[in-house]
Amino acid sequence: MREKLYRLIGTDLTQIHGIRPFLALRLISECGTDMNKWPTEKHFTSWLTLCPGSKISGGKVMSSHSRKSNNRVVAHLRLAATTVGRSDTALGAFYRRLSYRVGKAKAVTATARKIAILFYNAMKYGTKYQDPGSEYYEMRYKERVIKNLKRQAERMGMFLQAKEECVS
């Protein structure tokens, strides 16, 4: 099945974690092979209803929940996101970090959105997905956190110093 998909599309969608041949066929049958209908990945995720809504009235945000959808592809992408959450990949680490911080429902939507963006880029630009692994993701996340903490400390007039280790 993977070989036939590769011949049809020109890229291997099953390299993206969470997308198996059945889901790839489902995505292609629903979206088609021509991704020019959507100018950007943001338009694509909006069509899939995987982006946050923006109900604003009088300058006040009333709701930012994603819209409800009967789209079968979205249901499959959400299922793929929960499956990826149990894997030892960068997407799995992303899912676990978000589910701890904001809850499982929002983490499923955010991970499904990431998978949809990877699908869009593979279909439109032919980009190949290479998973850096969960260790790489965690390392980059820690670097971002430390960088932000340093920036906040400097804003407050403090400077962070590396802790010296004592060897006895």
Side-chain angles (χ1 to χ4, degrees):
M1 182 77 82
R2 287 176 63 184
E3 295 168 7
K4 292 181 181 183
L5 275 171
Y6 184 79
R7 273 189 266 137
L8 175 69
I9 303 165
T11 186
D12 189 10
L13 294 175
T14 58
Q15 292 297 316
I16 301 170
H17 292 286
I19 297 183
R20 296 286 145 235
F22 176 74
L23 180 57
L25 281 173
R26 180 66 63 109
L27 286 167
I28 292 167
S29 68
E30 292 286 332
C31 304
T33 56
D34 181 25
M35 301 303 273
N36 291 325
K37 302 173 205 172
W38 303 281
T40 64
E41 58 199 26
K42 291 180 180 181
H43 289 90
F44 181 65
T45 56
S46 177
W47 176 74
L48 287 173
T49 67
L50 287 174
C51 63
S54 58
K55 289 184 184 176
I56 301 173
S57 176
K60 181 179 176 185
V61 177
M62 305 302 281
S63 172
S64 62
H65 295 281
S66 299
R67 295 186 328 259
K68 293 195 185 283
S69 172
N70 290 329
N71 194 338
R72 294 178 298 269
V73 173
V74 176
H76 286 292
L77 284 172
R78 288 179 193 271
L79 185 62
T82 57
T83 304
V84 163
R86 293 186 293 268
S87 67
D88 191 31
T89 62
L91 285 172
F94 172 78
Y95 172 83
R96 288 188 295 277
R97 184 177 66 83
L98 272 185
S99 65
Y100 174 75
R101 199 177 76 209
V102 297
K104 291 199 182 292
K106 290 182 181 179
V108 166
T109 302
T111 309
R113 183 180 182 279
K114 273 197 178 241
I115 294 171
I117 288 171
L118 291 171
F119 169 77
Y120 176 84
N121 288 331
M123 289 295 291
K124 187 159 187 172
Y125 306 114
T127 56
K128 299 196 183 321
Y129 176 70
Q130 297 235 333
D131 181 47
S134 63
E135 297 86 22
Y136 178 76
Y137 177 81
E138 293 295 334
M139 181 188 67
R140 293 282 311 269
Y141 174 68
K142 286 178 185 176
E143 288 173 0
R144 276 196 315 268
V145 168
I146 291 169
K147 182 178 158 188
N148 289 334
L149 285 173
K150 284 181 182 177
R151 188 179 310 130
Q152 284 179 345
E154 288 173 3
R155 234 183 274 142
M156 293 180 176
M158 298 181 229
F159 296 97
L160 295 177
Q161 296 177 353
K163 183 178 177 182
E164 294 181 23
E165 294 186 28
C166 297
V167 179
S168 335

